[in-house]
Amino acid sequence: MSAEKVYIRPITDADTEKIVTWRNQDFVRKNFIYQKLFTEEGHRDWLKNQVEPGHVAQFIICVEGLGEIGSVYLRDIDREKGTAEYGAFIGEEKALGCGYGTQAARLILDYGFGTLGLECIFLRLLEKNSGARRSYEKAGFRRIENKREIVNLEQGACGVLFMEIDRSAWETRDAD
């Protein structure tokens, strides 16, 4: 795990160009189920219709001494059921594999369970994305056994795994 301090800040419209650039890089895009290219117009629509009304809580991942490196978010927030779907990406290649994603995941999980009062946060990931899976496991997510899908993407058929963490697991985890 890196020693640099990782923090998250709320996303703003001023982040649009950066988000579009990061998200459209092949090393980011090919690890998502939704692989279409992002546009500034589409991202602004996302901010207006998803983030502003509170359906999504999205943040920029920042590292002291390195700057902004990616984004982390909770989407499809269901306050009645107490659930949301987790998502994240590191858009700066030099920041991959440094532990920043794990630290950002812990920050947004703390936000989701503490501030939003969620009961369960889940995620989907492409089976071949072993780096992300290790990061999610370090953050506290556990695989939902016997739950798997196949999706057809640009690179062909890909397995999708499901992971989750609930409030009790988050509150009783061993913080390292």
Side-chain angles (χ1 to χ4, degrees):
M1 177 84 55
S2 65
E4 294 90 350
K5 179 175 169 56
V6 173
Y7 62 97
I8 57 176
R9 66 160 178 81
I11 195 168
T12 68
D13 183 73
D15 297 310
T16 296
E17 184 178 337
K18 194 173 10 221
I19 290 287
V20 170
T21 299
W22 284 338
R23 193 56 177 73
N24 286 341
Q25 297 175 102
D26 278 348
F27 76 90
V28 174
R29 192 172 59 83
K30 299 242 183 227
N31 283 311
F32 272 83
I33 296 166
Y34 181 84
Q35 296 188 344
K36 292 181 182 173
L37 291 174
F38 273 34
T39 65
E40 288 188 14
E41 179 184 357
H43 186 260
R44 286 194 169 100
D45 184 61
W46 166 265
L47 290 173
K48 180 181 176 188
N49 296 308
Q50 298 298 318
V51 177
E52 288 175 18
H55 307 303
V56 173
Q58 187 166 4
F59 298 85
I60 298 296
I61 304 167
C62 306
V63 179
E64 282 186 2
L66 195 58
E68 300 162 338
I69 63 161
S71 183
V72 63
Y73 54 90
L74 297 172
R75 62 173 287 153
D76 300 325
I77 298 168
D78 186 328
R79 286 173 172 76
E80 283 185 31
K81 292 181 183 173
T83 61
E85 182 174 358
Y86 169 89
F89 61 88
I90 303 295
E92 296 294 333
E93 218 166 350
K94 65 184 177 238
L96 292 173
C98 299
Y100 303 135
T102 301
Q103 291 181 59
R106 289 177 179 150
L107 291 169
I108 195 118
L109 288 171
D110 195 49
Y111 177 82
F113 293 121
T115 303
L116 297 180
L118 298 175
E119 293 299 323
C120 184
I121 299 171
F122 68 94
L123 64 83
R124 298 174 291 160
L125 79 147
L126 296 180
E127 193 169 38
K128 65 178 179 56
N129 193 347
S130 58
R133 183 175 177 181
R134 280 191 305 276
S135 175
Y136 301 151
E137 288 170 344
K138 287 178 186 175
F141 285 96
R142 294 293 168 249
R143 180 154 179 224
I144 301 171
E145 295 300 327
N146 303 317
K147 186 166 185 179
R148 186 175 179 272
E149 290 180 352
I150 301 292
V151 293
N152 290 310
L153 302 174
E154 291 176 5
Q155 60 266 43
C158 296
V160 176
L161 302 179
F162 293 77
M163 301 178 83
E164 69 182 356
I165 182 170
D166 63 27
R167 173 186 291 282
S168 64
W170 177 250
E171 291 173 346
T172 60
R173 75 196 181 289
D174 290 328
D176 51 9

